[in-house]
């Protein structure tokens, strides 16, 4: 067994600029860091709101193994049926949506080299839709993962820093990493918690930063000033790639390091 495994987790891919920088940066990052597994949050890939089946395929074709999501996953209607059609489960929706909702929030699979891994997608409830408890859902789903699967990655898609921090501590020692997504602003608090779980409050967006969380800033400001709905367009400038590389012991699943990886145009 190799000494450590490396998992690259890419933050919320936002619109065409986000997709473009992933496509252009990934080959070099792969050459430099040789990750064993690449994961990403893709819920804003389609012009900032949702993801289409075509874009799921496009992102998976770049070498991403599993896409996680969040509250915007249902924005494009065609994704609802596609979630069921794509039976291999490589597009996840948050696990704590009601049971009858299409799709799944847990993926268990193997890398091409044969390394078993699991990806769990959760969504917070503070300042977000009132879905089921992500803490209890995490307990229930982690209990279903076979013991042999040591590499366990969690995307906690949530607005509140406190809820993500609490989840990190709650899962410490039970998963390889918990990364936060959704706020589109990277945090500088990456850490390996005492029991071996790598943690970061938010990966940050992979998209245009001369914006208000990805949207053209002038329209966002006008909306805050007037409270009248605006047509939101994807911003175009200051495009950044935000991710973390987690290194872990494949025998135990414990993280040994977490490092932020940022690229800019
Ligand atoms: Fe979100």
């Amino acid at each position: 067994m190799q000494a450590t495994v490396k998992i690259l987790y890419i933050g919320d891919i936002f619109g065409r600029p986000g997709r473009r920088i992933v496509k252009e940066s990934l080959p070099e990052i792969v050459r430099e860091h040789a990750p064993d597994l690449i994961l990403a949050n893709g819920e804003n890939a389609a012009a900032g709101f949702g993801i289409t089946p075509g874009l799921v395929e496009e992102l998976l074709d770049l070498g991403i193994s599993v896409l996680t999501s969040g509250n915007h996953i249902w924005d494009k209607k065609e994704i609802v049926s596609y979630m069921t059609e794509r039976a291999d489960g490589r597009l996840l929706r948050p696990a704590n949506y009601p049971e009858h909702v299409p799709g799944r929030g847990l993926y268990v699979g193997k890398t091409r080299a044969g390394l078993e891994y699991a990806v769990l997608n959760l969504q917070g409830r503070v300042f977000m839709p009132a879905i089921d408890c992500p803490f209890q859902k995490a307990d229930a789903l982690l209990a279903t993962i076979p013991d042999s699967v040591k590499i366990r990655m969690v995307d906690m898609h949530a607005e509140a820093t406190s809820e993500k921090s609490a989840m990190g501590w709650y899962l410490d020692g039970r998963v390889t990493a918990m990364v936060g997504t959704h706020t589109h602003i990277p945090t500088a608090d990456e850490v390996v918690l005492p029991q071996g779980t790598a943690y970061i409050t938010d990966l940050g967006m992979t998209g245009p930063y001369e914006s208000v969380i990805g949207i053209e800033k002038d329209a966002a400001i006008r909306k805050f000033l007037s409270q009248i709905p605006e047509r939101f367009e994807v911003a175009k400038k200051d495009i950044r790639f935000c991710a973390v590389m987690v290194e872990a012991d494949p025998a135990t699943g414990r993280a040994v390091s977490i490092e932020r990886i940022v690229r800019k145009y």
Side-chain angles (χ1 to χ4, degrees):
M1 193 179 277
Q2 59 194 104
T4 58
V5 294
K6 288 180 176 178
I7 306 111
L8 180 72
Y9 213 122
I10 305 168
D12 313 40
I13 301 168
F14 196 97
R16 192 184 298 270
R19 298 189 326 257
R20 194 176 130 213
I21 198 168
V22 170
K23 194 172 183 177
E24 291 176 11
S25 307
L26 212 44
E28 185 198 311
I29 292 169
V30 167
R31 265 199 308 279
E32 205 175 304
H33 296 272
D36 298 277
L37 175 64
I38 304 173
L39 308 171
N41 185 300
E43 72 151 6
N44 304 116
F49 297 92
I51 189 165
T52 61
L55 293 181
V56 173
E57 303 301 334
E58 186 184 308
L59 290 171
L60 295 178
D61 282 350
L62 296 178
I64 296 167
S65 288
V66 180
L67 287 165
T68 49
S69 65
N71 53 309
H72 283 292
I73 185 59
W74 313 114
D75 288 1
K76 300 282 180 275
K77 271 204 182 66
E78 57 269 41
I79 214 70
V80 179
S81 55
Y82 178 77
M83 191 66 86
T84 317
E85 287 155 22
R86 188 170 182 107
D88 69 0
R90 290 170 66 199
L91 172 65
L92 294 177
R93 48 93 168 156
N96 48 326
Y97 271 85
E99 287 296 333
H100 68 274
V101 169
R104 302 182 45 176
L106 174 67
Y107 177 83
V108 181
K110 266 186 194 178
T111 64
R112 231 176 278 151
L115 173 77
E116 290 185 294
Y117 67 94
V119 184
L120 173 61
N121 192 180
L122 301 168
Q123 186 171 306
R125 295 191 296 182
V126 179
F127 309 128
M128 296 192 88
I131 53 176
D132 295 343
C133 173
F135 294 85
Q136 290 177 41
K137 185 55 85 172
D139 287 340
L141 287 179
L142 289 174
T144 69
I145 301 173
D147 258 2
S148 60
V149 182
K150 301 298 183 194
I151 300 299
R152 299 171 175 210
M153 303 294 291
V154 178
D155 174 358
M156 172 69 170
H157 193 79
E159 185 76 43
T161 299
S162 58
E163 199 177 17
K164 289 189 265 194
S165 174
M167 183 63 81
W169 287 111
Y170 190 65
L171 296 179
D172 185 21
R174 297 198 279 158
V175 301
T176 305
M178 191 222 93
V179 299
T181 58
H182 178 67
T183 67
H184 294 191
I185 303 294
T187 57
D189 61 337
E190 71 277 15
V191 66
V192 176
L193 297 173
Q195 304 301 314
T197 294
Y199 171 86
I200 187 166
T201 300
D202 209 290
L203 292 174
M205 163 182 71
T206 291
Y209 276 72
E210 190 177 308
S211 71
V212 174
I213 63 169
I215 294 295
E216 277 293 353
K217 58 188 186 309
D218 293 345
I221 293 167
R222 275 198 306 274
K223 170 139 189 240
F224 277 111
L225 285 171
S226 68
Q227 300 301 324
I228 297 171
E230 283 280 342
R231 192 183 151 78
F232 285 153
E233 304 275 356
V234 174
K236 295 183 178 65
K237 294 182 185 161
D238 189 12
I239 302 164
R240 304 184 202 175
F241 173 100
C242 283
V244 291
M245 187 73 77
V246 173
E247 209 167 342
D249 178 345
T252 62
R254 286 175 68 111
V256 293
S257 68
I258 175 170
E259 180 198 347
R260 274 184 290 144
I261 294 189
V262 176
R263 294 284 187 276
K264 291 180 191 184
Y265 274 161

